[in-house]
Amino acid sequence: MKKVLKFFALFLVVAMLCTAFAACDQTPPATPTEAPSNTDAPETTDAPEATAAPYVGADTLVVGYSRFSGKFSPFFATTAYDQDVAGMVSVGLISTDREGNVVYNGIAGEKRNFNGKEYTYTGMSDVKETINNDGTVDYNIKLRQGVKFSDGKDLTIDDVIFSIYVICDPTYNGSTTFSALPIEGMKDYLSNVSSVMALIKAAGINGKSDLVSAEDTAAFWDAYNKAGVKFAQTISDYCFANYGDYYPAYAGFTTDDAKDDNGLKTAAGMALWGFGTVKDGVLTTKSGKTFTLSESKPTAEDYWAEIAAAYGNDPDAIEAEKASDTLASLIEIELGDKVDAMNKGVVTGDSAANIKGIVKVNDYELNIKMTEFDATAIYHLGVTIAPLHYYGDAAQYDYANNKFGFPKGDLAGIKAKTSNPLGAGAYTFQSYSNGVVTFKRNEGYFEGCPKITYIKFQETDDADKVPGVQSGTFDVTDPSFNDTAVNAIKKANDNGEITGNIITTSTVDNLGYGYIGANASTVKVGDDPASAESKALRKAFATLFAVHRDTNVYSYYKERASVIQYPISNTSWAAPKPNDEGYALAYSKDVDGKAIYTADMTEAQKYEAALNAAIGFFKKAGYTWDDSAKKFTAAPAGAQMEYEVIVPADGVGDHPAYGVLTDTKADLEKIGITLNINDPSDSNVLWDSLDAGTQNFWAAAWGAAVDPDMYQVYYSQNVVGIEGSSESNHYRIQDPTLDEKIMAARKSADHAYRKAVYKECLDIIMDWGVEIPTYQRQNAIIFSSERVNMSTVTPDITTFWGWMNDIQNLEMNPAK
């Protein structure tokens, strides 16, 4: 998320942190301070009980963490950090081992060898996969008995079924793609259900859906227009704050003139944003309306009318004009307590009452039937088991009568618990306040009572992580493993190494990779993101981004990261290797398909060659080139002379891609193109922009799964904003050939075939120019050697086995 990108975002090994020096019968500290409650939490009678906050002592582990978004639901968490909070209190249906392989016999446990040692892996279930002669696949899942949620209620197969139906609801808009599995009856269950809001939008501002009340219709469009005025105002404010220097050229007056005159701000905002021109003191709007600024000035209402008219009052299309707040978010604010009703599903035709292929056998057993083999299925079946009685409504659960704990199409009750998670995990959620998430151990945890009493995830900036462990503020954290961090760690330890008497460092290859993304909907020529001209425009930028990767990635990480050439983690078996047929350096061919670089080129010569290649791509995109000035002077319709890239570098440029962006910006300036670098101190600026789909370029990192399936991130249906989307296709790439290949690879168990098909998919993604693979890094977790009992940290940490595994065995050293 969004962010995970969620978000849009990496699954951090730091999620797997915990140690303590406390026995299960130990009482909390005698005089704790009172823990402030989470002010964002909903008021519920069955929410997790709040307790006093612990003092930081021998029974408390403090983890330095990046910032949270407060969405801690196992269903709706979007950032990796929020997902980690949900993971602390939850259990999954299926477990995996140190190599990412599924544990099929989790109840009794399986013994497997790794690195010359034998380990026993246990979990919540036993799973049997049967491939039938007719191509269908049956999964039988038997659940471990005797497990309880942290509030003492039994965990049964009904909780599993409830959890599955939540993520398969037609109105579900979280990141899980379980509903994309070829489960028998899934399509029938999802069909012919739309949200009230979607029906209103589809009918249009002058239309009326027969399935929506006149009251709801009027309420939406009233909120739309009120929000729209505020939306227009945000654009004017943004232009005033960021582009005041352009006022004389675009509006004929200065920023000082407009400082206390909102009408002039609006006029300038319209001119700068392409909704009008100012000449001789007269504003002529895009629709032809005129304002003599000495006599009358436009209002935010006037500006909104121009925007709405330009997009035919299409709320989703209007988001392309976002400067800060999205129109959707402003509409939700205006709707107030009507939001849940607007998001409610409405049956528009025949829709199945259940998912035929999901069959309850008994209180601890479930069968799932798929119509065809899907290589990703076994991993998707490992859903988080959420308590029906807490997130849903037990009174609305009756399996035999197709009731699954909530009304189909209405997830409002489940979303109400988003900030207060509860589950059967090793820890219970206590509070989130002042940037600190507090957990207390679950004494009934099925793997054994954790030895640590309290854990606190404390927000911090990356620059403060190593000093935080050294000073005692944090016991564990995950700094960016760059030169600054490494040197600080070595300096802290008496032996001058990364593991010593003060700090212990654990490193593994990251299951994910860094990238620079391009939004095909906002970086395009004309109206077609798939046109050759649009692809050429994005490749112009991509070529320059790519050439500056080697120097900058090495400068930031040294040997702790490597530049990658394809948008896939090098930890994946599907990643192309240098000796593979067709392997090529990213964006190393010019507009004619010829190699940009030669083996004997110096770095300076490569930069010059890349710039010349970029010029060729800009020309193909339709940009106007002034040969005498050696600069571009005008952009083709639909394109711009100025673009923005968002990089979450804490506002101080601390990001591995930051140098790539600054070097590219300098190159583009030489040829008349402007690249504005937005480095917000709050990374939510990026996540919000990705959610709205309004970003141009951005720098982020993907977390990967064991299986290299590409459906969630690149499939056309999963573009952000499409109903039923996974909300993960931030590139907005929609390519039918790519879709076909993604689905073909899913249906095969042959690794060689799948790897070849995925190489073709990667080539299509690169041809669109929407992603520039940047780096494969190592993850570093650092522990306080003084306070954490390192002998109790799970051994043989791998990319697939973080140190929060075996969390119940971790201990702190006795307080000195």
Side-chain angles (χ1 to χ4, degrees):
M1 32 155 121
K2 173 206 56 276
K3 285 155 185 137
V4 257
L5 296 157
K6 275 264 252 90
F7 334 114
F8 52 322
L10 297 172
F11 180 81
L12 302 180
V13 178
V14 74
M16 306 181 175
L17 321 177
C18 306
T19 48
F21 179 73
C24 281
D25 57 356
Q26 182 183 10
T27 58
T31 57
T33 58
E34 189 67 17
S37 62
N38 179 8
T39 56
D40 293 329
E43 294 183 5
T44 56
T45 57
D46 53 356
E49 181 181 356
T51 64
Y55 84 115
V56 180
D59 63 345
T60 302
L61 183 80
V62 182
V63 184
Y65 240 82
S66 295
R67 285 169 174 75
F68 305 103
S69 295
K71 297 178 181 179
F72 303 138
S73 166
F75 303 116
F76 297 104
T78 52
T79 70
Y81 319 118
D82 286 2
Q83 289 169 359
D84 291 349
V85 173
M88 284 283 287
V89 305
S90 305
V91 292
L93 183 59
I94 296 175
S95 54
T96 55
D97 64 15
R98 283 172 169 80
E99 294 180 292
N101 299 312
V102 170
V103 176
Y104 288 91
N105 300 292
I107 297 176
E110 293 186 27
K111 294 183 181 298
R112 296 180 182 177
N113 289 316
F114 180 82
N115 199 23
K117 302 173 187 176
E118 184 179 80
Y119 293 102
T120 299
Y121 297 94
T122 58
M124 283 295 299
S125 67
D126 288 346
V127 183
K128 182 179 180 182
E129 179 185 67
T130 303
I131 301 177
N132 304 310
N133 292 333
D134 62 357
T136 61
V137 184
D138 291 317
Y139 292 91
N140 174 260
I141 302 172
K142 293 180 179 178
L143 195 62
R144 179 185 292 273
Q145 299 185 30
V147 177
K148 295 181 181 295
F149 291 107
S150 60
D151 62 358
K153 301 288 181 64
D154 289 336
L155 187 158
T156 71
I157 209 70
D158 289 329
D159 297 294
V160 176
I161 292 172
F162 161 74
S163 300
I164 289 175
Y165 270 90
V166 170
I167 58 180
C168 292
D169 190 79
T171 64
Y172 175 74
N173 60 356
S175 60
T176 303
T177 58
F178 187 97
S179 63
L181 294 173
I183 297 174
E184 185 179 16
M186 180 67 76
K187 290 182 179 179
D188 294 333
Y189 184 74
L190 295 173
S191 65
N192 296 320
V193 179
S194 295
S195 70
V196 170
M197 191 180 299
L199 290 171
I200 293 172
K201 290 179 182 179
I205 195 167
N206 296 314
K208 171 69 173 65
S209 169
D210 293 336
L211 299 173
V212 180
S213 70
E215 180 185 2
D216 283 344
T217 300
F220 174 81
W221 291 114
D222 181 61
Y224 161 81
N225 278 312
K226 289 178 179 177
V229 174
K230 295 178 180 178
F231 181 78
Q233 186 64 54
T234 65
I235 299 174
S236 295
D237 292 343
Y238 180 84
C239 289
F240 180 80
N242 295 278
Y243 300 112
D245 291 344
Y246 293 90
Y247 270 30
Y250 281 82
F253 50 81
T254 67
T255 308
D256 286 341
D257 294 331
K259 183 171 59 175
D260 299 314
D261 190 328
N262 200 56
L264 287 181
K265 284 183 186 178
T266 302
M270 296 175 78
L272 285 162
W273 224 245
F275 282 88
T277 58
V278 178
K279 184 176 182 181
D280 298 328
V282 177
L283 168 69
T284 303
T285 70
K286 194 170 185 177
S287 68
K289 190 174 182 179
T290 61
F291 292 87
T292 300
L293 298 179
S294 62
E295 300 173 2
S296 64
K297 297 164 188 173
T299 64
E301 287 80 1
D302 294 320
Y303 194 175
W304 167 240
E306 293 290 328
I307 296 172
Y311 286 93
N313 283 297
D314 182 338
D316 296 331
I318 288 171
E319 296 289 9
E321 300 299 335
K322 167 188 170 283
S324 54
D325 296 325
T326 65
L327 178 60
S329 67
L330 294 171
I331 290 174
E332 289 200 354
I333 292 172
E334 293 296 333
L335 286 170
D337 57 10
K338 296 181 184 292
V339 169
D340 289 340
M342 291 292 174
N343 288 325
K344 190 174 182 179
V346 177
V347 176
T348 61
D350 292 336
S351 186
N354 62 35
I355 303 169
K356 184 178 180 181
I358 298 176
V359 180
K360 176 181 177 180
V361 178
N362 56 50
D363 286 347
Y364 292 94
E365 189 173 355
L366 177 72
N367 286 332
I368 297 179
K369 188 176 192 67
M370 301 202 183
T371 57
E372 60 188 9
F373 178 81
D374 187 305
T376 70
I378 190 65
Y379 294 102
H380 282 289
L381 292 179
V383 298
T384 298
I385 307 174
L388 159 66
H389 68 273
Y390 177 68
Y391 285 100
D393 181 357
Q396 296 189 58
Y397 185 89
D398 183 349
Y399 176 82
N401 290 300
N402 299 320
K403 296 181 179 180
F404 303 106
F406 61 96
K408 181 179 180 180
D410 187 358
L411 301 179
I414 294 154
K415 289 182 177 180
K417 305 290 180 66
T418 292
S419 58
N420 272 24
L422 185 146
Y427 282 82
T428 63
F429 176 84
Q430 300 296 292
S431 66
Y432 171 45
S433 181
N434 298 321
V436 178
V437 179
T438 300
F439 304 94
K440 185 179 180 182
R441 66 184 174 197
N442 174 14
E443 298 191 7
Y445 181 50
F446 82 97
E447 294 274 26
C449 173
K451 295 179 181 179
I452 187 172
T453 304
Y454 295 100
I455 292 179
K456 302 171 80 173
F457 285 1
Q458 183 171 324
E459 295 177 346
T460 187
D461 291 332
D462 191 75
D464 296 327
K465 290 180 176 180
V466 175
V469 173
Q470 185 177 1
S471 67
T473 301
F474 307 129
D475 299 310
V476 188
T477 192
D478 67 327
S480 294
F481 206 42
N482 53 30
D483 267 2
T484 301
V486 169
N487 292 336
I489 293 169
K490 289 180 177 180
K491 185 176 180 180
N493 288 325
D494 290 346
N495 62 2
E497 302 294 335
I498 60 173
T499 291
N501 61 313
I502 302 299
I503 295 175
T504 296
T505 304
S506 174
T507 63
V508 296
D509 285 337
N510 180 57
L511 184 59
Y513 64 93
Y515 71 94
I516 297 170
N519 182 347
S521 291
T522 63
V523 185
K524 65 180 179 181
V525 176
D527 296 322
D528 183 8
S531 69
E533 291 78 12
S534 291
K535 291 178 180 179
L537 171 57
R538 294 189 292 269
K539 287 180 186 177
F541 286 92
T543 300
L544 292 174
F545 288 141
V547 76
H548 290 297
R549 294 174 304 162
D550 287 343
T551 299
N552 285 290
V553 170
Y554 182 79
S555 175
Y556 193 88
Y557 282 120
K558 292 297 189 292
E559 68 281 354
R560 295 171 294 278
S562 58
V563 171
I564 58 174
Q565 306 304 332
Y566 290 90
I568 185 172
S569 172
N570 278 349
T571 62
S572 173
W573 53 262
K577 301 298 188 291
N579 292 330
D580 291 348
E581 183 179 355
Y583 183 90
L585 300 181
Y587 301 103
S588 59
K589 293 183 179 179
D590 65 15
V591 70
D592 297 317
K594 298 177 181 178
I596 298 173
Y597 314 109
T598 61
D600 59 348
M601 279 185 173
T602 64
E603 286 298 304
Q605 289 171 333
K606 288 181 180 179
Y607 299 151
E608 182 180 0
L611 185 58
N612 287 330
I615 290 171
F617 281 117
F618 277 121
K619 287 180 177 179
K620 182 172 181 178
Y623 278 70
T624 302
W625 174 255
D626 183 336
D627 197 52
S628 61
K630 302 300 181 185
K631 288 188 176 184
F632 290 104
T633 58
Q640 304 171 45
M641 293 294 289
E642 185 171 334
Y643 287 93
E644 179 187 67
V645 58
I646 307 175
V647 54
D650 293 334
V652 294
D654 188 9
H655 191 281
Y658 193 80
V660 173
L661 304 180
T662 56
D663 286 347
T664 300
K665 174 183 174 70
D667 280 345
L668 290 168
E669 285 177 352
K670 298 174 185 176
I671 57 174
I673 305 294
T674 299
L675 180 67
N676 294 311
I677 300 174
N678 182 356
D679 174 13
S681 57
D682 182 355
S683 61
N684 283 313
V685 171
L686 171 58
W687 312 138
D688 290 345
S689 182
L690 292 177
D691 285 343
T694 56
Q695 79 287 2
N696 297 148
F697 299 96
W698 73 99
W702 279 120
V706 179
D707 189 273
D709 177 47
M710 297 180 176
Y711 175 83
Q712 182 172 346
V713 176
Y714 302 107
Y715 196 74
S716 295
Q717 178 61 30
N718 290 326
V719 164
V720 175
I722 293 179
E723 189 167 1
S725 163
S726 71
E727 302 285 322
S728 295
N729 185 348
H730 298 294
Y731 310 106
R732 295 182 173 260
I733 180 173
Q734 293 182 298
D735 188 297
T737 302
L738 177 61
D739 291 344
E740 180 181 334
K741 292 182 181 298
I742 288 173
M743 299 310 292
R746 269 191 155 198
K747 297 176 183 178
S748 175
D750 184 339
H751 273 204
Y753 169 78
R754 294 185 73 205
K755 180 173 180 177
V757 173
Y758 282 138
K759 172 58 167 61
E760 294 173 3
C761 291
L762 294 169
D763 287 340
I764 292 172
I765 294 164
M766 302 284 277
D767 182 58
W768 270 69
V770 293
E771 186 170 5
I772 301 87
T774 308
Y775 61 88
Q776 170 79 56
R777 66 173 173 82
Q778 288 185 318
N779 276 331
I781 300 295
I782 62 173
F783 304 81
S784 168
S785 306
E786 298 176 304
R787 294 181 298 281
V788 177
N789 183 343
M790 294 305 300
S791 68
T792 65
V793 176
T794 188
D796 283 326
I797 294 173
T798 72
T799 301
F800 306 102
W801 186 265
W803 76 279
M804 200 173 78
N805 290 88
D806 299 328
I807 186 176
Q808 70 281 1
N809 298 327
L810 300 175
E811 300 178 4
M812 299 286 281
N813 288 322
K816 296 181 180 179

